[in-house]
Amino acid sequence: MRIFVRSLFPMWFALVAAPSWAAHGYALWGDLKYPPGFGNFAYVNPAAPKGGELRLVSNLRVSTFDKYNPFTIKGSAPAYLSGLMFDSLLAGALDETGAGYGLLAEDVEVAPDGLSATFRLRKEARFHNGDPVLAADVKHSYDTLIGPYTSPAYKTALEDVAGLDVVDERTVRYRFKRLNREIPLTVGGLPVFSRKWGMENGKPKQFDQVVMDIPIGSGAYKIGPVRFGKDITYVRDATYWARDLNVRRGTANFERITVKIYKDNTARLEALKAGEFDLMRFFSAGDWTRRVTGKRFDTGELVKGEFKHKLPSGFQSYVLNTRKDKLKDVRVREALGLAIDYEWMNRQIFYNSYQRVAGLFGNTDCQATGSPGPEELALLEPWRGKVPEAVFGPMYVPPRTDGDSSLRGNLRKARELLRQAGWEVQGGVLRNAKGEVFSLEYMDSNEGGARTIAPWMRNLEKLGVQLKFRQVDFALYQQRLQKFDFEITSLAYQGTHTPGQEFADLFGSKAADIEDSGNHAGVKNPAVDDMVSRMTGAKSKSDLVPACRALERIIAHSHYLVPQWTAGTHRIAYNAWRLALPPVSPPYAQSEAWAIDTWWSKK
């Protein structure tokens, strides 16, 4: 399974244009949690000692890396490089949603009409080479990221930006095409890098040719020793310009962060048990329950920790590529979902560790339940006939196989849906009027994917559907995803408390035709585009919530995604003899990011 995160920027926050605001930070719907002049974020230890080493395992599926540029499309950059090496104008707090505080920028001012945001840079901000961070560098970074050599998701996310003006040496003003509550945040979260990165003989190289050039950022770490195919070490910048800044106090505590690379999950697990690295997050319930054991766990050197969080549940799903003829009919897609026996899988495979995903916005205010309210209906009614009729009824609930429901009943319903779509069993095989066999390919690069998909394959066989498992190496997997060359795959999308323009990349009609966009399902629906536009243009939370709930209903009832499962805790095994952690786990932190940012070394 690919962990799909369109988090292109080191920190992604959600802000809203409101009456003119000039301050040390910016809040989405109300007051900032932290006042001007605050000392540090509440979840850090401001007196944490600096030094020691954090040894991590790469969170990427690639077996190695072949570039230091994390922004271009081709190739693979080392894990964690962007967040460690590049600062942005604003920084977010891990115990607050919808807020950002000045990092490179000492303040942000949003115009009364919401059509511009002005950032004033700190005089002390410095790149790793000692150069000051200037407005020209901010403009260069923006112009480069929306250029032809970076991920198209940048263009989608920044579509509402009309331009960037250099007001003076340390002041930039972003101009916006329309009111979009998250755009001040989006531009505030862009990575900023030096104009000198990629210079050769005094001239800049084409950005896709900036490959192994050492990045010139302003973050807390620089690249240290590298052993290609084995590991990369980031070394803390002893002269890091923001080390005493309130948004950075108590963070970046390790002198070195070494990220090790292993070929597969088994090798990673055995390396953890052997003490080769200090921390690993677990996504496999089977590994966590049965295989995270050994002498080092018995002695207390290694500890299993489950940390509760308040993050959105996300929408980890099987993605159905509607560009393929067999998957164009919504009845076919619904039938495929009816063949999943999640309750059996949770008991037999997942040790009852998970909850079923239902929609896009689980565990947030945007989650749709029951029947649409008046505000949602007002948005949906103009699209009647262009969205499934079920959208106007109760919110989609994934089929169950317990209580009054059963797998047999679900399969009967699925068979009828397939018949209505023109597919009937002939000689034990599902065929259409042309005699074509209904066969599909599930593509994965995870060696453990076959075990999870096998129960679904068996149930589909009962309907006459042939689902074939195709394992490919990760490089080919990425390539085929970028080109939308697949029928079914599995992606884990992170959720958000503040949805906005990123959903145009995930489900927008324009993105469906852009290679390497996030719209893997190939969604092309003007109703979806309208809801995303209303979400990004919302002036208040009361405008946002009906729009995102309406979007969730359309996507769920269109069955582009077959929902999988989620967990309410971070499962982390860590070395308690080497690592110390703050007493408070921030509710909105990703697990590795929390450890990298705020833990410290005991040695």
Side-chain angles (χ1 to χ4, degrees):
M1 179 182 301
R2 182 187 182 197
I3 304 299
F4 184 80
V5 186
R6 281 283 166 183
S7 54
L8 297 169
F9 317 138
M11 292 287 183
W12 188 302
F13 324 100
L15 311 179
V16 62
S20 183
W21 181 310
H24 65 295
Y26 205 98
L28 177 54
W29 305 121
D31 295 334
L32 289 162
K33 176 175 181 176
Y34 294 95
F38 70 95
N40 53 264
F41 291 135
Y43 52 84
V44 305
N45 174 8
K50 306 291 185 182
E53 181 179 21
L54 172 63
R55 300 173 303 165
L56 290 171
V57 60
S58 173
N59 66 340
L60 303 178
R61 294 270 293 281
V62 291
S63 58
T64 187
F65 53 88
D66 53 16
K67 65 175 184 175
Y68 291 138
N69 187 341
F71 308 117
T72 50
I73 297 173
K74 294 182 179 180
S76 301
Y80 309 114
L81 184 147
S82 184
L84 292 172
M85 297 193 68
F86 299 100
D87 279 341
S88 50
L89 296 171
L90 300 177
L94 302 181
D95 58 352
E96 184 179 17
T97 62
Y101 297 86
L103 179 52
L104 288 172
E106 63 183 1
D107 67 37
V108 52
E109 179 177 359
V110 177
D113 60 6
L115 295 180
S116 69
T118 302
F119 299 87
R120 187 166 69 248
L121 296 169
R122 299 181 190 272
K123 292 181 180 179
E124 64 269 32
R126 290 288 184 277
F127 288 114
H128 295 145
N129 63 0
D131 290 346
V133 180
L134 300 176
D137 297 298
V138 178
K139 180 170 174 55
H140 168 75
S141 302
Y142 165 75
D143 290 342
T144 300
L145 292 172
I146 63 169
Y149 307 113
T150 61
S151 167
Y154 281 107
K155 289 82 166 172
T156 301
L158 299 168
E159 188 173 344
D160 284 341
V161 180
L164 172 60
D165 301 323
V166 174
V167 178
D168 59 39
E169 189 177 53
R170 285 192 169 85
T171 307
V172 295
R173 178 176 296 119
Y174 279 95
R175 291 176 284 104
F176 309 133
K177 297 175 184 177
R178 65 186 182 102
L179 179 63
N180 176 335
R181 77 185 198 288
E182 76 168 338
I183 279 291
L185 153 80
T186 304
V187 296
L190 285 172
V192 175
F193 41 84
S194 170
R195 290 163 287 165
K196 294 183 179 179
W197 183 28
M199 294 285 283
E200 189 173 71
N201 299 321
K203 295 182 180 180
K205 291 193 290 187
Q206 190 170 285
F207 197 58
D208 64 343
Q209 301 303 312
V210 180
V211 180
M212 298 307 295
D213 306 62
I214 300 298
I216 306 176
S218 61
Y221 288 87
K222 300 187 289 187
I223 292 176
V226 175
R227 296 190 299 170
F228 287 96
K230 293 185 176 180
D231 57 48
I232 179 173
T233 297
Y234 302 99
V235 179
R236 187 165 56 88
D237 183 0
T239 62
Y240 177 44
W241 71 273
R243 60 190 180 276
D244 296 320
L245 201 64
N246 52 7
V247 295
R248 286 291 185 252
R249 192 169 292 126
T251 70
N253 299 317
F254 296 101
E255 186 68 25
R256 298 175 308 282
I257 298 175
T258 296
V259 184
K260 300 192 175 188
I261 299 167
Y262 298 90
K263 291 184 178 180
D264 55 48
N265 290 334
T266 301
R268 281 190 284 268
L269 180 56
E270 293 307 313
L272 172 70
K273 294 179 180 180
E276 293 183 15
F277 57 89
D278 304 320
L279 183 145
M280 181 175 173
R281 182 180 178 186
F282 283 82
F283 296 95
S284 166
D287 282 347
W288 185 253
T289 304
R290 299 178 57 190
R291 289 176 281 278
V292 184
T293 59
K295 182 175 64 176
R296 283 186 165 83
F297 288 96
D298 295 337
T299 63
E301 178 183 0
L302 291 176
V303 173
K304 294 171 65 173
E306 293 202 41
F307 301 93
K308 292 184 178 180
H309 61 75
K310 295 182 179 179
L311 290 170
S313 60
F315 42 108
Q316 179 173 308
S317 310
Y318 294 114
V319 180
L320 309 181
N321 188 354
T322 61
R323 299 172 184 84
K324 307 298 182 181
D325 288 340
K326 293 174 185 175
L327 296 172
K328 289 185 182 297
D329 195 310
V330 65
R331 294 168 296 188
V332 168
R333 301 195 298 271
E334 183 179 0
L336 295 176
L338 282 162
I340 287 185
D341 188 347
Y342 166 75
E343 281 69 35
W344 182 90
M345 293 174 68
N346 199 29
R347 289 193 309 270
Q348 302 297 325
I349 301 177
F350 303 144
Y351 303 90
N352 291 313
S353 296
Y354 296 121
Q355 302 84 46
R356 190 80 189 266
V357 170
L360 306 181
F361 302 120
N363 202 29
T364 74
D365 292 338
C366 283
Q367 182 174 6
T369 58
S371 297
E375 296 86 357
E376 294 171 64
L377 286 173
L379 299 178
L380 291 167
E381 194 60 45
W383 300 107
R384 191 179 287 272
K386 295 188 177 181
V387 298
E389 189 62 25
V391 166
F392 298 91
M395 175 58 185
Y396 169 76
V397 176
R400 302 185 64 89
T401 57
D402 57 0
D404 295 334
S405 302
S406 67
L407 176 62
R408 179 174 294 184
N410 291 343
L411 292 179
R412 281 199 296 267
K413 181 178 179 181
R415 186 174 291 112
E416 175 60 20
L417 287 168
L418 290 168
R419 187 194 65 77
Q420 293 173 14
W423 295 92
E424 296 199 58
V425 175
Q426 302 175 28
V429 178
L430 200 65
R431 300 178 185 270
N432 61 12
K434 298 178 182 179
E436 296 170 331
V437 174
F438 196 110
S439 63
L440 293 167
E441 180 184 274
Y442 171 79
M443 182 187 70
D444 203 339
S445 68
N446 189 337
E447 65 272 15
R451 179 171 177 264
T452 304
I453 202 75
W456 193 19
M457 295 168 65
R458 289 195 298 268
N459 293 337
L460 287 171
E461 284 180 8
K462 299 173 183 177
L463 297 172
V465 175
Q466 298 176 4
L467 179 61
K468 302 173 183 178
F469 178 79
R470 172 79 181 277
Q471 183 181 344
V472 298
D473 68 79
F474 190 72
L476 179 59
Y477 178 77
Q478 282 187 307
Q479 184 181 76
R480 288 183 61 178
L481 277 181
Q482 290 171 347
K483 296 180 180 296
F484 309 123
D485 181 21
F486 70 93
E487 291 178 321
I488 304 177
T489 193
S490 179
L491 296 176
Y493 299 85
Q494 282 189 343
T496 175
H497 284 282
T498 51
Q501 188 64 23
E502 69 272 25
F503 281 81
D505 179 61
L506 295 176
F507 302 114
S509 297
K510 184 177 179 181
D513 296 324
I514 300 176
E515 188 174 304
D516 196 38
S517 80
N519 191 347
H520 292 95
V523 178
K524 277 190 172 184
N525 190 316
V528 169
D529 298 334
D530 181 39
M531 298 311 150
V532 172
S533 178
R534 292 177 182 276
M535 286 161 52
T536 58
K539 297 179 181 179
S540 64
K541 191 170 184 178
S542 60
D543 290 336
L544 170 70
V545 169
C548 55
R549 288 179 178 174
L551 173 69
E552 185 174 51
R553 292 178 189 278
I554 296 171
I555 297 297
H557 284 292
S558 297
H559 302 282
Y560 301 114
L561 308 172
V562 179
Q564 293 183 357
W565 35 87
T566 185
T569 62
H570 297 307
R571 296 182 296 221
I572 307 174
Y574 63 94
N575 191 316
W577 292 0
R578 291 174 53 90
L579 303 179
L581 58 155
V584 177
S585 171
Y588 306 113
Q590 296 295 330
S591 56
E592 295 107 315
W594 171 46
I596 291 170
D597 206 35
T598 68
W599 293 22
W600 63 92
S601 175
K602 290 182 177 180
K603 296 185 177 181

